[in-house]
Amino acid sequence: SSMYNYTTDQLQDLDTKHYLHPFTDHKKLAEERSRIITRADGIYLWDSDGNRYLDAMAGLWCVNVGYGREEIAEAVNQQIRDLPYYNSFFKTAHPPAIELSRLVCSLAPAHLNRVFFTGSGSEANDTVVRMVRFYWSLKGLPDKKVIISRHNAYHGSTVAAASLGGMQSMHAQGGLPIPDIDYIGQPYWYQDGGDLSPDEFGEKVADELEQKILELGVDNVAAFIGEPIQGGGGVIIPPSTYWPRIQSICDKYQILLVADEVICGFGRTGKWFGSDYFEFKPDVMSIAKGLSSGYVPIGGVLVSDEVASVLIDEGGEFHHGFTYSGHPVAAAAAIANLNILRDEGLVDRVDTETAPYIAEKWQQLSSHALVGEARIVGLIGALELVKDKTTRQFFDDRGAVGTLCRDICFESGLVMRAIEDTMVISPPLCITREEIDELISLVIRCLDQTAERMR
């Protein structure tokens, strides 16, 4: 980081003085001060003091190809010289946006062949809200406005996206949610399943969708939105009965099924998309994160041929979009990134090699005194830290133990995130078996130290 000739202390002082961080208690941060990350390579990060960390979160669920890929840097460098920016308003387009739209649609499920680009996953989900309501109004059903989501869902933090999400802490700030968003329960068996088997619970909680549609009236319901696996909610992996039942309810009442693939998309589950893994067919799909592996901000919304035909054939302007929709530099980064994922067979490698390898080791962690459940799909996993394993009882002061464990992880050179007392991982898809061994041994060491410090 020779570009910035500051000491760590100076950087931390300037950070406190000027930089407001996302999802942060600024008063607390000013006391504790930020760690300053200066470079990264593969699955590792280095801070301004030279400490190395294994990044088991792939940034924020996004650096799928790993850090330091020259191909992406080259593509960005070339594009920023040729055409650093142009918009797609006023009957205009440019090659990177066109090529990326072709490439994304070639990787998506066969029935999704049109894509609208945004700057982020939050913007993608705002677009979903506008688009599904526009779709129904074009079909002469303007009352079909309500979008059903789930408690503890995370769909971003702009006003519409935060409203779609079911996080009470977010809704408590700023007059959320906006009207015409409603919620059903989440498929969180470990917390809410009680005496039901996971399969029974999956069906029961999916049936809440039908009850909610009947309660609201099908004439008022536009869509159901869900993450294939809830990421920000704590890597909630639904029972195998869940998505088939959700699909059949959406089909029965002919409401749109929206998959928020921001985290699951582009290989995280070992399939290209979470909907591929769980074998359901969304009408609309929001994407971001792994689309460019986070190298440059970009998101998007994929729509089915049926939805696209209504948007296109019924005509009329869709009054929605962004200065940076299909940004050429972001598109160039995304194209290079997707080519790496595809040409190096990274997604298949996760599916056939690294996911089965880590799954076996991850499951073994459930024998640890603190771990009530170890769950994992592809390269996204969670450990429930609990007070009593036999009764699935959580700690009274929920979140305290998770925070302690997370801080111990950082001290030990591991980035593992805490969501309340659920420790979660989502490492880069390029992680090797040797690196998985290193990750697991770090996790065990951190769990041991957490248990020790609680005593």
Side-chain angles (χ1 to χ4, degrees):
S1 63
S2 54
M3 210 170 134
Y4 309 101
N5 291 313
Y6 295 115
T7 64
T8 297
D9 272 353
Q10 289 171 320
L11 285 163
Q12 288 171 327
D13 286 344
L14 290 168
D15 176 65
T16 303
K17 281 201 181 94
H18 302 294
Y19 187 25
L20 292 172
H21 295 222
F23 281 91
T24 294
D25 178 335
H26 293 100
K27 188 168 193 271
K28 250 191 203 150
L29 182 65
E31 292 159 15
E32 294 175 23
R33 297 159 74 83
S34 297
R35 69 184 64 80
I36 313 293
I37 301 298
T38 53
R39 66 185 182 93
D41 188 45
I43 67 163
Y44 299 102
L45 308 165
W46 284 265
D47 68 19
S48 52
D49 296 327
N51 300 306
R52 190 187 84 161
Y53 305 87
L54 191 161
D55 183 9
M57 280 306 299
L60 202 54
W61 328 84
C62 54
V63 187
N64 289 13
V65 298
Y67 297 98
R69 292 302 304 239
E70 284 298 321
E71 302 91 321
I72 303 178
E74 283 306 313
V76 164
N77 185 14
Q78 190 56 54
Q79 186 57 48
I80 216 161
R81 291 161 193 271
D82 293 344
L83 181 71
Y85 173 74
Y86 201 67
N87 70 77
S88 304
F89 292 45
F90 323 123
K91 304 185 190 174
T92 309
H94 42 68
I98 295 167
E99 170 59 12
L100 179 59
S101 61
R102 181 203 68 77
L103 182 53
V104 166
C105 292
S106 76
L107 298 170
H111 66 292
L112 301 165
N113 291 293
R114 296 280 195 317
V115 61
F116 184 103
F117 288 117
T118 69
S120 69
S122 291
E123 282 181 16
N125 285 323
D126 276 40
T127 299
V128 165
V129 173
R130 302 279 321 270
M131 196 182 270
V132 302
R133 291 174 178 171
F134 184 53
Y135 165 85
W136 287 114
S137 67
L138 288 175
K139 285 176 73 89
L141 296 163
D143 290 340
K144 283 174 84 69
K145 282 204 277 273
V146 181
I147 300 170
I148 299 171
S149 177
R150 303 180 292 193
H151 297 299
N152 199 38
Y154 185 80
H155 295 293
S157 69
T158 48
V159 169
S163 297
L164 280 182
M167 304 250 168
Q168 292 312 304
S169 56
M170 294 175 73
H171 290 181
Q173 298 174 335
L176 301 179
I178 58 171
D180 298 317
I181 313 274
D182 213 322
Y183 311 90
I184 60 171
Q186 57 178 336
Y188 189 175
W189 175 82
Y190 193 81
Q191 176 184 275
D192 302 326
D195 295 330
L196 297 176
S197 72
D199 281 357
E200 291 167 334
F201 175 71
E203 290 182 349
K204 174 177 176 264
V205 73
D207 283 339
E208 289 183 27
L209 176 59
E210 184 165 35
Q211 292 151 28
K212 183 62 75 174
I213 291 167
L214 295 173
E215 175 196 317
L216 295 165
V218 71
D219 297 342
N220 298 313
V221 178
F224 170 77
I225 187 169
E227 307 152 83
I229 294 169
Q230 283 157 259
V235 183
I236 310 301
I237 300 170
S240 60
T241 50
Y242 180 80
W243 278 112
R245 180 66 64 97
I246 291 286
Q247 176 90 64
S248 70
I249 293 166
C250 290
D251 291 348
K252 177 177 174 180
Y253 295 100
Q254 295 181 302
I255 68 162
L256 296 176
L257 175 50
V258 183
D260 177 336
E261 293 273 5
V262 170
I263 286 174
C264 291
F266 306 103
R268 179 57 52 201
T269 62
K271 305 292 182 198
W272 276 97
F273 294 93
S275 52
D276 295 327
Y277 181 87
F278 290 106
E279 296 182 330
F280 67 95
K281 270 184 79 167
D283 300 289
V284 180
M285 201 154 93
S286 33
I287 56 174
K289 293 191 187 291
L291 173 57
S292 67
S293 284
Y295 277 51
V296 181
I298 187 169
V301 178
L302 280 147
V303 298
S304 70
D305 297 336
E306 197 276 324
V307 171
S309 71
V310 172
L311 296 178
I312 293 159
D313 299 344
E314 301 306 318
E317 182 177 339
F318 182 35
H319 297 285
H320 178 79
F322 306 99
T323 301
Y324 298 138
S325 289
H327 190 289
V329 178
I335 292 164
N337 170 67
L338 295 179
N339 283 332
I340 290 169
L341 280 173
R342 188 192 56 195
D343 298 345
E344 296 184 8
L346 274 177
V347 180
D348 283 339
R349 198 177 94 200
V350 170
D351 196 32
T352 59
E353 285 180 48
T354 43
Y357 187 73
I358 196 172
E360 192 187 337
K361 296 186 173 313
W362 197 251
Q363 299 300 344
Q364 289 167 4
L365 297 173
S366 61
S367 66
H368 194 279
L370 278 180
V371 177
E373 182 182 59
R375 51 181 183 265
I376 194 162
V377 163
L379 289 179
I380 180 168
L383 301 171
E384 292 281 8
L385 307 187
V386 295
K387 185 174 174 179
D388 188 334
K389 294 164 62 128
T390 51
T391 57
R392 306 209 308 257
Q393 188 191 356
F394 292 94
F395 290 104
D396 303 330
D397 180 13
R398 214 152 155 189
V401 175
T403 303
L404 173 66
C405 184
R406 183 200 64 197
D407 292 347
I408 288 169
C409 288
F410 271 116
E411 291 163 21
S412 309
L414 172 66
V415 182
M416 182 160 64
R417 187 170 162 192
I419 296 168
E420 288 192 325
D421 294 325
T422 309
M423 305 308 298
V424 304
I425 62 159
S426 163
L429 306 186
C430 61
I431 194 170
T432 63
R433 285 174 179 232
E434 294 73 32
E435 289 166 341
I436 287 170
D437 292 343
E438 184 190 349
L439 165 61
I440 296 290
S441 65
L442 280 167
V443 170
I444 293 168
R445 189 196 315 167
C446 294
L447 290 172
D448 288 345
Q449 287 182 21
T450 303
E452 188 61 37
R453 243 189 258 183
M454 284 166 65
R455 285 195 205 107

